[in-house]
Amino acid sequence: MKTIAQIVQHAKTIAVVGLSDKPDRASHEVAAYLQDHGYRILPVNPACAGQQILGEPVFATLQDAAASLDAGVTIDIVDCFRKPDAIVPIAGDAIAVGARCLWMQLAIENDEAARLARDAGLDVIMNRCLKIEHRMLGA
């Protein structure tokens, strides 16, 4: 498994599952921060599909987000802002689209999802904030 520093430094494309269109939500704040620091954000939120958040088209599914990418571009991190019991299907989707890392934000842990993702070769981070980790690294 790669370290958090390696994951953060090598990532370019981040799918944010559960990205809210409300600026006061943590998912929106984190995604805006990541976007401001040069990452490409792929919003995934079925309730907002077809709209835009942070100037990016919103996708209903992780598969739709992955299908929108140019050939040779992959999703480096699937950043999850969903309840722990919703993570197993997201892990399955992350595996299916060839993502490199399943990242569960603060207060989100799911051992079954982590096991599935690790067994498929993905790096897994649980209960950590991508924005906080990025800032601590000075990346």
Side-chain angles (χ1 to χ4, degrees):
M1 185 174 129
K2 292 180 184 165
T3 65
I4 288 175
Q6 290 170 324
I7 293 167
V8 170
Q9 290 169 350
H10 293 109
K12 292 181 177 76
T13 305
I14 302 172
V16 184
V17 178
L19 178 55
S20 175
D21 59 349
K22 297 178 175 109
D24 61 330
R25 296 284 177 95
S27 63
H28 195 281
E29 179 186 333
V30 169
Y33 170 89
L34 294 169
Q35 193 176 51
D36 288 346
H37 286 82
Y39 295 96
R40 178 168 181 200
I41 300 300
L42 300 172
V44 179
N45 182 334
C48 298
Q51 301 172 32
Q52 287 197 349
I53 299 176
L54 298 170
E56 296 290 340
V58 181
F59 300 96
T61 67
L62 200 50
Q63 288 86 344
D64 292 342
S68 76
L69 297 173
D70 293 335
V73 177
T74 60
I75 295 173
D76 297 306
I77 299 173
V78 175
D79 190 13
C80 303
F81 285 90
R82 299 290 314 276
K83 293 182 179 182
D85 60 0
I87 303 299
V88 171
I90 297 168
D93 291 344
I95 294 163
V97 302
R100 295 185 175 147
C101 175
L102 179 67
W103 190 298
M104 295 172 241
Q105 284 292 136
L106 289 174
I108 303 172
E109 293 185 39
N110 186 305
D111 291 332
E112 181 183 354
R115 182 187 52 74
L116 289 171
R118 281 191 189 110
D119 287 352
L122 278 71
D123 293 312
V124 176
I125 306 296
M126 294 193 287
N127 194 22
R128 303 295 275 265
C129 176
L130 190 46
K131 176 184 172 183
I132 291 169
E133 296 299 326
H134 182 273
R135 289 176 81 186
M136 285 185 356
L137 292 167

